[in-house]
Coordinates of all heavy atoms in Angstrom, one line a residue:
M176 N -117.2 73.7 -211.8 CA -116.0 73.5 -211.1 C -114.9 74.4 -211.7 O -114.8 74.6 -212.9 CB -115.5 72.1 -211.1 CG -114.4 71.8 -210.2 SD -114.1 70.0 -210.1 CE -112.8 69.8 -211.1
T177 N -114.1 75.1 -210.8 CA -113.0 75.9 -211.3 C -111.7 75.3 -210.9 O -111.6 74.9 -209.7 CB -113.2 77.3 -210.7 OG1 -114.4 77.9 -211.1 CG2 -112.1 78.2 -211.2
L178 N -110.7 75.3 -211.8 CA -109.4 74.9 -211.4 C -108.4 76.1 -211.4 O -108.3 76.8 -212.4 CB -108.9 73.8 -212.4 CG -107.4 73.3 -212.2 CD1 -107.3 72.5 -210.9 CD2 -107.0 72.5 -213.4
A179 N -107.8 76.3 -210.3 CA -106.8 77.4 -210.2 C -105.8 77.1 -209.2 O -106.0 76.5 -208.1 CB -107.5 78.7 -209.9
T180 N -104.6 77.5 -209.5 CA -103.4 77.5 -208.5 C -103.0 78.9 -208.2 O -102.8 79.7 -209.1 CB -102.2 76.7 -209.1 OG1 -102.7 75.4 -209.5 CG2 -101.1 76.6 -208.1
L181 N -102.8 79.2 -206.9 CA -102.4 80.6 -206.6 C -101.1 80.9 -207.3 O -100.2 80.0 -207.4 CB -102.2 80.7 -205.1 CG -103.4 80.8 -204.2 CD1 -103.1 80.8 -202.7 CD2 -104.2 82.1 -204.5
A182 N -101.0 82.1 -207.9 CA -99.8 82.4 -208.7 C -98.5 82.0 -208.2 O -97.7 81.5 -209.0 CB -99.9 83.9 -209.1
P183 N -98.1 82.3 -206.9 CA -96.8 82.0 -206.5 C -96.5 80.5 -206.5 O -95.3 80.1 -206.4 CB -96.7 82.5 -205.0 CG -97.9 83.4 -204.9 CD -98.9 82.9 -205.9
Y184 N -97.5 79.6 -206.6 CA -97.3 78.2 -206.5 C -97.5 77.5 -207.9 O -97.5 76.2 -207.9 CB -98.3 77.6 -205.5 CG -98.2 78.2 -204.1 CD1 -99.0 79.2 -203.7 CD2 -97.1 77.8 -203.3 CE1 -98.9 79.8 -202.5 CE2 -96.9 78.4 -202.1 CZ -97.8 79.4 -201.6 OH -97.6 80.0 -200.4
R185 N -97.6 78.2 -208.9 CA -97.8 77.6 -210.3 C -96.4 77.0 -210.7 O -95.4 77.2 -210.2 CB -98.2 78.7 -211.3 CG -99.7 79.1 -211.0 CD -100.2 80.1 -212.0 NE -101.5 80.6 -211.4 CZ -102.1 81.7 -211.8 NH1 -101.5 82.5 -212.7 NH2 -103.2 82.1 -211.2
N186 N -96.6 76.1 -211.7 CA -95.5 75.4 -212.3 C -94.8 74.4 -211.4 O -93.6 74.2 -211.4 CB -94.4 76.3 -212.9 CG -95.0 77.2 -214.1 OD1 -96.0 76.7 -214.7 ND2 -94.5 78.3 -214.3
R187 N -95.6 73.9 -210.4 CA -95.0 72.9 -209.5 C -95.9 71.6 -209.5 O -96.0 70.9 -208.6 CB -95.1 73.4 -208.0 CG -94.3 74.7 -207.8 CD -94.4 75.1 -206.4 NE -93.7 76.4 -206.2 CZ -93.5 77.0 -205.0 NH1 -93.9 76.3 -203.9 NH2 -92.8 78.1 -204.9
S188 N -96.6 71.4 -210.6 CA -97.5 70.3 -210.8 C -98.7 70.2 -210.0 O -99.4 69.2 -209.9 CB -96.7 69.0 -210.7 OG -95.6 68.9 -211.6
I189 N -99.0 71.3 -209.3 CA -100.2 71.3 -208.4 C -101.5 71.2 -209.3 O -102.4 70.5 -208.9 CB -100.2 72.6 -207.6 CG1 -99.1 72.5 -206.6 CG2 -101.6 72.8 -206.8 CD1 -98.8 73.8 -205.8
G190 N -101.5 71.9 -210.4 CA -102.7 71.8 -211.3 C -102.8 70.5 -212.0 O -103.9 69.9 -212.1
S191 N -101.7 70.0 -212.4 CA -101.7 68.7 -213.2 C -102.1 67.5 -212.4 O -102.8 66.6 -212.9 CB -100.3 68.4 -213.7 OG -99.8 69.4 -214.6
T192 N -101.8 67.5 -211.1 CA -102.1 66.4 -210.2 C -103.6 66.1 -210.2 O -104.0 64.9 -210.5 CB -101.4 66.6 -208.9 OG1 -100.0 66.7 -209.1 CG2 -101.7 65.3 -208.0
P193 N -104.5 67.0 -209.8 CA -105.9 66.7 -209.7 C -106.5 66.4 -211.1 O -107.3 65.6 -211.3 CB -106.5 67.9 -209.1 CG -105.6 69.0 -209.2 CD -104.2 68.4 -209.3
L194 N -106.0 67.2 -212.1 CA -106.6 67.0 -213.5 C -106.2 65.5 -214.0 O -107.1 64.8 -214.5 CB -106.0 68.0 -214.5 CG -106.5 67.9 -215.9 CD1 -108.1 67.9 -216.0 CD2 -105.9 68.9 -216.8
S195 N -105.0 65.1 -213.7 CA -104.6 63.8 -214.1 C -105.4 62.7 -213.4 O -105.8 61.8 -214.0 CB -103.1 63.7 -213.9 OG -102.6 62.5 -214.3
S196 N -105.6 63.0 -212.1 CA -106.4 62.0 -211.3 C -107.8 61.9 -211.8 O -108.4 60.8 -211.9 CB -106.5 62.4 -209.8 OG -105.2 62.4 -209.3
I197 N -108.4 63.0 -212.2 CA -109.8 63.1 -212.6 C -109.9 62.3 -214.0 O -110.8 61.5 -214.2 CB -110.3 64.5 -212.8 CG1 -110.5 65.2 -211.5 CG2 -111.6 64.6 -213.6 CD1 -110.7 66.7 -211.5
L198 N -109.0 62.5 -214.9 CA -109.0 61.9 -216.2 C -108.8 60.4 -216.0 O -109.6 59.6 -216.6 CB -107.9 62.5 -217.1 CG -108.1 63.9 -217.5 CD1 -106.9 64.4 -218.3 CD2 -109.4 64.1 -218.4
T199 N -107.9 60.0 -215.2 CA -107.7 58.5 -214.9 C -108.9 57.9 -214.3 O -109.3 56.8 -214.7 CB -106.4 58.3 -214.1 OG1 -105.3 58.9 -214.7 CG2 -106.2 56.9 -213.8
Y200 N -109.5 58.6 -213.3 CA -110.7 58.0 -212.6 C -111.8 57.8 -213.6 O -112.4 56.7 -213.6 CB -111.1 58.9 -211.5 CG -112.2 58.3 -210.7 CD1 -111.9 57.5 -209.6 CD2 -113.5 58.6 -211.0 CE1 -113.0 57.0 -208.9 CE2 -114.6 58.0 -210.3 CZ -114.3 57.2 -209.2 OH -115.3 56.6 -208.5
I201 N -112.1 58.8 -214.4 CA -113.2 58.6 -215.4 C -112.9 57.5 -216.4 O -113.8 56.7 -216.6 CB -113.4 60.0 -216.2 CG1 -113.9 61.1 -215.2 CG2 -114.5 59.7 -217.3 CD1 -113.9 62.4 -215.9
Q202 N -111.7 57.4 -216.9 CA -111.4 56.4 -217.8 C -111.5 55.0 -217.2 O -111.8 54.0 -217.9 CB -110.0 56.6 -218.4 CG -110.0 57.7 -219.5 CD -108.7 58.2 -219.9 OE1 -107.8 58.4 -219.1 NE2 -108.5 58.5 -221.2
E203 N -111.2 54.9 -215.9 CA -111.3 53.6 -215.2 C -112.7 53.2 -214.8 O -113.0 52.1 -214.3 CB -110.3 53.5 -214.1 CG -108.9 53.5 -214.5 CD -107.9 53.6 -213.3 OE1 -108.4 53.8 -212.2 OE2 -106.7 53.4 -213.6
H204 N -113.7 54.2 -214.8 CA -115.0 54.0 -214.2 C -116.1 54.4 -215.2 O -117.2 54.6 -214.7 CB -115.2 54.8 -212.9 CG -114.2 54.3 -211.8 ND1 -113.0 54.8 -211.7 CD2 -114.5 53.5 -210.8 CE1 -112.4 54.2 -210.6 NE2 -113.3 53.4 -210.1
N205 N -115.8 54.5 -216.5 CA -116.9 54.9 -217.4 C -117.6 53.7 -218.1 O -118.1 53.9 -219.2 CB -116.5 56.0 -218.3 CG -115.4 55.5 -219.3 OD1 -114.9 54.4 -219.2 ND2 -115.0 56.4 -220.2
T206 N -117.5 52.6 -217.5 CA -118.2 51.4 -218.1 C -119.5 51.1 -217.3 O -120.3 50.4 -217.9 CB -117.3 50.2 -218.1 OG1 -116.8 49.9 -216.7 CG2 -116.1 50.3 -219.0
D207 N -119.6 51.6 -216.1 CA -120.9 51.4 -215.4 C -121.1 52.5 -214.3 O -120.2 53.4 -214.2 CB -121.0 50.0 -214.7 CG -119.8 49.8 -213.8 OD1 -119.1 50.8 -213.4 OD2 -119.5 48.6 -213.4
G208 N -122.2 52.4 -213.6 CA -122.5 53.4 -212.6 C -122.7 54.8 -213.1 O -123.1 55.0 -214.3
A209 N -122.5 55.8 -212.3 CA -122.8 57.2 -212.6 C -122.0 57.7 -213.8 O -122.5 58.6 -214.5 CB -122.5 58.1 -211.4
L210 N -120.8 57.1 -214.1 CA -120.0 57.6 -215.2 C -120.2 56.8 -216.5 O -119.5 57.0 -217.4 CB -118.5 57.6 -214.8 CG -118.2 58.6 -213.7 CD1 -116.7 58.4 -213.2 CD2 -118.4 60.0 -214.1
K211 N -121.2 55.9 -216.5 CA -121.4 55.0 -217.6 C -121.6 55.9 -218.9 O -122.3 56.9 -218.9 CB -122.6 54.2 -217.4 CG -122.9 53.1 -218.4 CD -124.0 52.2 -218.0 CE -124.2 51.0 -218.9 NZ -124.2 51.2 -220.3
D212 N -120.9 55.5 -219.9 CA -121.0 56.1 -221.2 C -120.4 57.5 -221.3 O -120.6 58.2 -222.3 CB -122.4 56.1 -221.7 CG -123.0 54.7 -221.9 OD1 -122.2 53.8 -222.2 OD2 -124.2 54.5 -221.7
V213 N -119.7 58.0 -220.3 CA -119.0 59.3 -220.4 C -117.8 59.0 -221.3 O -116.9 58.3 -220.9 CB -118.5 59.8 -219.0 CG1 -117.7 61.1 -219.2 CG2 -119.8 60.1 -218.2
D214 N -117.8 59.6 -222.5 CA -116.7 59.3 -223.4 C -116.0 60.6 -223.9 O -115.1 60.6 -224.7 CB -117.2 58.5 -224.6 CG -118.3 59.2 -225.3 OD1 -118.6 60.4 -225.0 OD2 -118.9 58.5 -226.2
E215 N -116.4 61.7 -223.3 CA -115.7 63.0 -223.6 C -115.8 64.0 -222.4 O -116.8 64.0 -221.7 CB -116.4 63.6 -224.9 CG -115.7 64.8 -225.4 CD -116.3 65.3 -226.7 OE1 -117.5 64.9 -227.0 OE2 -115.6 66.0 -227.4
I216 N -114.8 64.8 -222.2 CA -114.8 65.8 -221.2 C -114.6 67.1 -221.8 O -113.8 67.3 -222.8 CB -113.7 65.4 -220.1 CG1 -113.8 66.4 -218.9 CG2 -112.3 65.4 -220.7 CD1 -113.0 65.9 -217.7
M217 N -115.3 68.1 -221.4 CA -115.3 69.4 -222.0 C -115.1 70.5 -220.9 O -115.6 70.3 -219.8 CB -116.6 69.7 -222.8 CG -116.9 68.7 -223.8 SD -118.5 68.9 -224.5 CE -118.2 70.3 -225.6
L218 N -114.5 71.6 -221.3 CA -114.4 72.7 -220.4 C -114.3 74.0 -221.2 O -114.1 74.0 -222.4 CB -113.2 72.5 -219.5 CG -111.8 72.3 -220.1 CD1 -111.1 73.6 -220.5 CD2 -111.0 71.4 -219.2
H219 N -114.4 75.2 -220.4 CA -114.4 76.5 -221.0 C -113.2 77.2 -220.5 O -112.9 77.2 -219.3 CB -115.7 77.3 -220.7 CG -116.9 76.6 -221.2 ND1 -117.6 75.7 -220.4 CD2 -117.6 76.8 -222.3 CE1 -118.7 75.3 -221.1 NE2 -118.7 76.0 -222.3
V220 N -112.5 77.9 -221.5 CA -111.3 78.7 -221.1 C -111.4 80.0 -221.8 O -111.7 80.1 -223.0 CB -110.0 78.0 -221.5 CG1 -108.8 78.9 -221.1 CG2 -109.8 76.6 -220.9
Q221 N -111.2 81.1 -221.0 CA -111.2 82.5 -221.6 C -110.2 82.5 -222.7 O -109.1 82.0 -222.6 CB -110.8 83.4 -220.5 CG -111.0 84.9 -220.8 CD -110.6 85.8 -219.6 OE1 -109.8 85.4 -218.7 NE2 -111.0 87.0 -219.6
T222 N -110.6 83.2 -223.8 CA -109.8 83.2 -225.1 C -108.4 83.8 -224.8 O -107.5 83.4 -225.5 CB -110.5 84.0 -226.1 OG1 -110.9 85.3 -225.6 CG2 -111.7 83.3 -226.7
S223 N -108.3 84.7 -223.9 CA -107.0 85.3 -223.6 C -106.0 84.5 -222.8 O -104.8 84.8 -222.6 CB -107.2 86.7 -223.0 OG -107.9 86.5 -221.7
N224 N -106.5 83.4 -222.2 CA -105.8 82.6 -221.2 C -104.9 81.6 -221.9 O -105.2 80.3 -221.8 CB -106.7 82.0 -220.2 CG -106.0 81.5 -219.0 OD1 -104.8 81.4 -218.9 ND2 -106.8 81.2 -217.9
E225 N -103.8 82.0 -222.5 CA -103.0 81.1 -223.3 C -102.3 80.1 -222.4 O -102.1 78.9 -222.9 CB -101.9 81.9 -224.1 CG -102.6 82.8 -225.2 CD -101.7 83.7 -225.9 OE1 -100.4 83.6 -225.7 OE2 -102.1 84.6 -226.7
D226 N -101.9 80.5 -221.2 CA -101.3 79.5 -220.3 C -102.2 78.3 -220.0 O -101.8 77.1 -220.1 CB -100.9 80.1 -219.0 CG -99.7 81.1 -219.1 OD1 -99.0 81.0 -220.2 OD2 -99.4 81.8 -218.1
A227 N -103.5 78.6 -219.7 CA -104.4 77.5 -219.4 C -104.7 76.7 -220.7 O -104.8 75.5 -220.6 CB -105.7 78.1 -218.9
I228 N -104.8 77.3 -221.8 CA -105.0 76.6 -223.1 C -103.9 75.6 -223.3 O -104.1 74.4 -223.6 CB -105.3 77.5 -224.2 CG1 -106.6 78.3 -224.1 CG2 -105.3 76.7 -225.6 CD1 -106.8 79.4 -225.0
Q229 N -102.7 76.1 -223.1 CA -101.5 75.2 -223.3 C -101.5 74.1 -222.3 O -101.2 72.9 -222.6 CB -100.2 76.0 -223.2 CG -98.9 75.2 -223.4 CD -98.9 74.6 -224.8 OE1 -98.9 75.4 -225.8 NE2 -98.8 73.3 -224.9
F230 N -101.8 74.5 -221.1 CA -101.9 73.5 -220.0 C -102.8 72.3 -220.4 O -102.5 71.1 -220.3 CB -102.4 74.2 -218.7 CG -102.7 73.3 -217.5 CD1 -101.7 72.8 -216.7 CD2 -104.0 73.0 -217.2 CE1 -102.0 71.9 -215.6 CE2 -104.3 72.2 -216.1 CZ -103.3 71.7 -215.3
Y231 N -104.0 72.7 -220.8 CA -105.0 71.6 -221.2 C -104.6 70.9 -222.5 O -104.8 69.7 -222.6 CB -106.4 72.2 -221.3 CG -107.0 72.6 -220.0 CD1 -107.3 73.9 -219.7 CD2 -107.3 71.7 -219.0 CE1 -107.8 74.3 -218.5 CE2 -107.8 72.0 -217.8 CZ -108.1 73.3 -217.5 OH -108.6 73.7 -216.3
E232 N -104.0 71.6 -223.4 CA -103.5 70.9 -224.6 C -102.5 69.8 -224.3 O -102.4 68.8 -225.0 CB -103.0 71.9 -225.7 CG -104.2 72.7 -226.3 CD -103.8 73.7 -227.4 OE1 -102.6 74.1 -227.4 OE2 -104.6 74.1 -228.2
N233 N -101.7 70.1 -223.3 CA -100.7 69.1 -222.9 C -101.3 67.8 -222.4 O -100.7 66.8 -222.4 CB -99.8 69.7 -221.8 CG -98.8 70.7 -222.3 OD1 -98.7 70.9 -223.5 ND2 -98.2 71.4 -221.4
F234 N -102.6 67.9 -222.0 CA -103.3 66.7 -221.6 C -104.2 66.1 -222.7 O -105.0 65.2 -222.4 CB -104.2 67.1 -220.4 CG -103.5 67.1 -219.1 CD1 -102.9 68.3 -218.6 CD2 -103.3 66.0 -218.3 CE1 -102.2 68.4 -217.4 CE2 -102.7 66.0 -217.1 CZ -102.1 67.2 -216.7
G235 N -104.0 66.6 -223.9 CA -104.7 66.1 -225.0 C -106.1 66.7 -225.3 O -106.8 66.3 -226.2
F236 N -106.3 67.8 -224.6 CA -107.6 68.6 -225.0 C -107.3 69.3 -226.3 O -106.2 69.7 -226.6 CB -107.9 69.6 -223.9 CG -108.5 69.0 -222.7 CD1 -107.7 68.4 -221.7 CD2 -109.9 69.1 -222.4 CE1 -108.3 67.8 -220.6 CE2 -110.4 68.5 -221.3 CZ -109.6 67.9 -220.4
E237 N -108.4 69.5 -227.1 CA -108.3 70.2 -228.3 C -109.3 71.4 -228.3 O -110.4 71.3 -227.8 CB -108.7 69.3 -229.5 CG -107.7 68.1 -229.7 CD -108.1 67.2 -230.8 OE1 -109.1 67.4 -231.5 OE2 -107.3 66.2 -231.1
K238 N -108.7 72.5 -228.8 CA -109.5 73.7 -228.8 C -110.6 73.7 -229.9 O -110.3 73.3 -231.0 CB -108.5 74.9 -229.1 CG -109.1 76.3 -228.8 CD -108.0 77.3 -228.7 CE -107.4 77.7 -230.1 NZ -106.4 78.7 -229.9
G239 N -111.8 74.0 -229.5 CA -112.9 73.9 -230.4 C -113.7 75.2 -230.5 O -113.1 76.3 -230.7
E240 N -115.0 75.2 -230.3 CA -115.9 76.3 -230.6 C -115.5 77.5 -229.8 O -115.2 77.5 -228.6 CB -117.3 75.8 -230.2 CG -118.4 76.9 -230.4 CD -119.7 76.4 -229.8 OE1 -119.7 75.3 -229.1 OE2 -120.7 77.2 -229.9
L241 N -115.6 78.7 -230.5 CA -115.5 80.0 -229.8 C -117.0 80.4 -229.3 O -117.9 80.4 -230.1 CB -115.0 81.0 -230.7 CG -115.1 82.5 -230.3 CD1 -114.2 82.8 -229.1 CD2 -114.8 83.4 -231.4
V242 N -117.1 80.7 -228.0 CA -118.4 81.1 -227.4 C -118.2 82.5 -227.0 O -117.5 82.9 -226.1 CB -118.8 80.2 -226.2 CG1 -120.2 80.7 -225.8 CG2 -118.8 78.7 -226.6
E243 N -118.9 83.4 -227.7 CA -118.8 84.9 -227.4 C -119.8 85.2 -226.2 O -120.9 84.7 -226.1 CB -119.2 85.7 -228.6 CG -118.2 85.5 -229.7 CD -118.6 86.4 -230.9 OE1 -119.7 87.0 -231.0 OE2 -117.7 86.5 -231.9
G244 N -119.3 86.0 -225.3 CA -120.1 86.5 -224.1 C -120.3 85.4 -223.1 O -121.3 85.5 -222.3
Y245 N -119.5 84.4 -223.0 CA -119.7 83.3 -222.0 C -119.5 83.8 -220.6 O -120.3 83.5 -219.7 CB -118.7 82.2 -222.3 CG -118.8 81.0 -221.4 CD1 -119.9 80.1 -221.5 CD2 -117.9 80.9 -220.3 CE1 -119.9 79.0 -220.6 CE2 -118.0 79.9 -219.4 CZ -119.0 78.9 -219.6 OH -119.1 77.9 -218.7
F246 N -118.5 84.6 -220.4 CA -118.2 85.1 -219.0 C -119.0 86.4 -218.8 O -119.0 87.3 -219.7 CB -116.7 85.3 -218.8 CG -116.0 84.0 -218.8 CD1 -115.1 83.7 -219.9 CD2 -116.1 83.1 -217.8 CE1 -114.4 82.5 -219.9 CE2 -115.4 81.9 -217.8 CZ -114.5 81.6 -218.9
K247 N -119.5 86.7 -217.6 CA -120.3 87.9 -217.4 C -119.4 89.0 -216.7 O -119.7 90.1 -216.7 CB -121.5 87.6 -216.5 CG -122.4 86.5 -217.1 CD -122.9 87.0 -218.5 CE -123.8 85.9 -219.2 NZ -123.7 86.0 -220.6
R248 N -118.4 88.5 -215.9 CA -117.7 89.5 -215.1 C -116.3 89.7 -215.4 O -115.5 90.3 -214.6 CB -117.8 89.1 -213.6 CG -119.3 89.0 -213.0 CD -119.2 88.9 -211.5 NE -120.6 88.7 -211.0 CZ -121.2 87.5 -210.8 NH1 -120.5 86.4 -211.1 NH2 -122.4 87.4 -210.4
I249 N -115.8 89.1 -216.5 CA -114.4 89.2 -216.8 C -114.3 89.6 -218.3 O -115.2 89.4 -219.1 CB -113.5 88.0 -216.5 CG1 -114.1 86.7 -217.2 CG2 -113.4 87.8 -215.0 CD1 -113.3 85.5 -217.0
D250 N -113.2 90.3 -218.6 CA -113.0 90.8 -220.0 C -111.6 90.2 -220.5 O -110.6 90.3 -219.8 CB -112.9 92.3 -220.0 CG -112.9 92.9 -221.4 OD1 -113.8 92.6 -222.2 OD2 -111.8 93.5 -221.8
P251 N -111.5 89.6 -221.7 CA -112.7 89.5 -222.6 C -113.7 88.4 -222.1 O -113.3 87.5 -221.4 CB -112.0 89.0 -223.9 CG -110.8 88.3 -223.5 CD -110.3 89.0 -222.2
P252 N -114.9 88.6 -222.5 CA -116.0 87.7 -222.0 C -116.1 86.4 -222.8 O -116.9 85.5 -222.5 CB -117.3 88.5 -222.1 CG -117.0 89.3 -223.3 CD -115.5 89.7 -223.3
D253 N -115.2 86.2 -223.8 CA -115.4 85.1 -224.7 C -114.5 83.9 -224.3 O -113.5 84.1 -223.6 CB -114.9 85.5 -226.1 CG -115.6 86.8 -226.6 OD1 -116.7 87.0 -226.2 OD2 -115.0 87.5 -227.4
C254 N -114.9 82.7 -224.7 CA -114.2 81.5 -224.3 C -114.1 80.6 -225.5 O -114.8 80.6 -226.4 CB -114.8 80.8 -223.1 SG -116.3 79.9 -223.5
F255 N -113.1 79.7 -225.4 CA -113.1 78.5 -226.2 C -113.6 77.3 -225.5 O -113.3 77.2 -224.3 CB -111.6 78.2 -226.7 CG -111.1 79.2 -227.6 CD1 -110.0 80.0 -227.3 CD2 -111.6 79.4 -228.9 CE1 -109.4 80.9 -228.1 CE2 -111.0 80.3 -229.8 CZ -110.0 81.0 -229.4
V256 N -114.2 76.4 -226.2 CA -114.6 75.1 -225.6 C -113.4 74.2 -225.9 O -113.0 74.1 -227.1 CB -115.9 74.5 -226.2 CG1 -116.1 73.1 -225.7 CG2 -117.1 75.4 -225.9
L257 N -112.8 73.5 -224.9 CA -111.8 72.6 -225.1 C -112.4 71.2 -224.7 O -113.1 71.1 -223.8 CB -110.6 72.8 -224.2 CG -109.5 73.8 -224.8 CD1 -110.1 75.2 -224.8 CD2 -108.2 73.8 -224.0
S258 N -112.0 70.2 -225.5 CA -112.6 68.9 -225.3 C -111.5 67.8 -225.4 O -110.5 68.0 -226.2 CB -113.8 68.6 -226.2 OG -113.3 68.6 -227.5
K259 N -111.8 66.7 -224.8 CA -110.8 65.5 -224.9 C -111.7 64.3 -224.9 O -112.5 64.0 -224.0 CB -109.9 65.5 -223.6 CG -109.0 64.3 -223.6 CD -108.2 64.3 -222.3 CE -107.4 63.0 -222.1 NZ -106.4 62.7 -223.1
K260 N -111.4 63.5 -225.9 CA -112.1 62.1 -226.0 C -111.5 61.2 -225.0 O -110.2 61.2 -224.9 CB -111.9 61.6 -227.4 CG -112.6 62.4 -228.5 CD -113.9 61.9 -228.9 CE -114.4 62.6 -230.1 NZ -115.7 63.3 -229.8
L261 N -112.3 60.4 -224.3 CA -111.8 59.6 -223.2 C -111.7 58.1 -223.7 O -111.2 57.3 -223.0 CB -112.6 59.7 -222.0 CG -112.6 61.1 -221.4 CD1 -113.6 61.2 -220.2 CD2 -111.2 61.4 -220.8
R262 N -112.3 57.8 -224.9 CA -112.1 56.5 -225.5 C -112.5 56.6 -227.0 O -113.0 57.6 -227.4 CB -113.0 55.5 -224.8 CG -114.5 55.8 -224.7 CD -115.2 54.8 -224.0 NE -116.6 55.2 -223.6 CZ -117.4 54.6 -222.7 NH1 -116.9 53.6 -222.0 NH2 -118.6 55.1 -222.5
Ligands
COA1107 C1 -103.9 76.6 -215.5 C2 -103.4 76.5 -214.0 C3 -104.5 75.9 -213.2 C4 -102.2 75.5 -214.0 O1 -101.8 75.3 -212.7 P1 -100.3 74.9 -212.3 O2 -100.4 74.4 -210.8 O3 -99.4 75.9 -212.6 O4 -100.1 73.6 -213.2 P2 -98.8 72.7 -213.4 O5 -97.7 73.2 -212.5 O6 -99.3 71.3 -213.2 O7 -98.5 72.9 -214.9 C5 -98.2 74.1 -215.5 C6 -97.0 74.1 -216.3 O8 -95.9 73.9 -215.4 C7 -95.1 72.9 -215.9 N1 -94.5 72.3 -214.8 C8 -95.1 71.4 -213.9 N2 -94.2 71.0 -212.9 C9 -93.1 71.7 -213.2 C10 -91.8 71.8 -212.6 N3 -91.6 71.1 -211.5 N4 -90.9 72.6 -213.1 C11 -91.1 73.3 -214.2 N5 -92.3 73.3 -214.9 C12 -93.2 72.5 -214.4 C13 -96.0 72.0 -216.7 O9 -95.4 71.2 -217.6 C14 -97.0 73.0 -217.3 O10 -96.5 73.4 -218.5 P3 -97.4 74.2 -219.6 O11 -97.4 75.6 -219.2 O12 -96.7 73.9 -220.9 O13 -98.8 73.5 -219.5 C15 -102.8 77.8 -213.4 O14 -102.0 78.4 -214.4 C16 -103.9 78.8 -213.0 O15 -104.4 78.6 -211.9 N6 -104.2 79.8 -213.8 C17 -105.2 80.8 -213.5 C18 -106.6 80.2 -213.4 C19 -106.9 79.4 -214.7 O16 -106.6 79.9 -215.7 N7 -107.6 78.3 -214.5 C20 -108.1 77.5 -215.6 C21 -109.3 78.2 -216.2 S1 -110.2 77.1 -217.2

C-alpha cells in the first residue's frame, strides 16, 4: 500500500486522517480475528524523504534498519524501515 497526498493538497491533514484511522482500528481489533496478535506496524520510507520520516515520527514510528537497494525505479534506492509498537 502507498500513502501519498497530491503536492498542492499537503499539510491539510489529508495524510494524517487515514493513517490515524488505520492505527486506531488495529489497536481496537488486534485481540481476535484477522488482526489477532498484530502488535507492531512497519513501513518503508526512501532515505531522502525527510518530510515523510517526520510525518511518521509524529505518529510514534521509530526509524530503524537501513535497507540498501529496496526501491528499483527511484533514486536513491535505499530506505529506512520505520516501525511502531501497537501495545
Ligand atoms: C507524507 C505525506 C503522505 C503526508 O501527507 P499530508 O496530507 O501532507 O499529511 P498531513 O497534512 O496530515 O501532515 C503533514 C504535516 O502537515 C501538518 N499539518 C496538518 N494539518 C495542518 C494544517 N491544517 N495546517 C498546518 N500544518 C498542518 C502536520 O502536522 C504534518 O506535520 P509534519 O510535517 O511535522 O509531519 C505527503 O507529504 C506525501 O504524499 N508525500 C509524498 C509521498 C510520500 O512520501 N509518501 C510516503 C512514503 S512512505
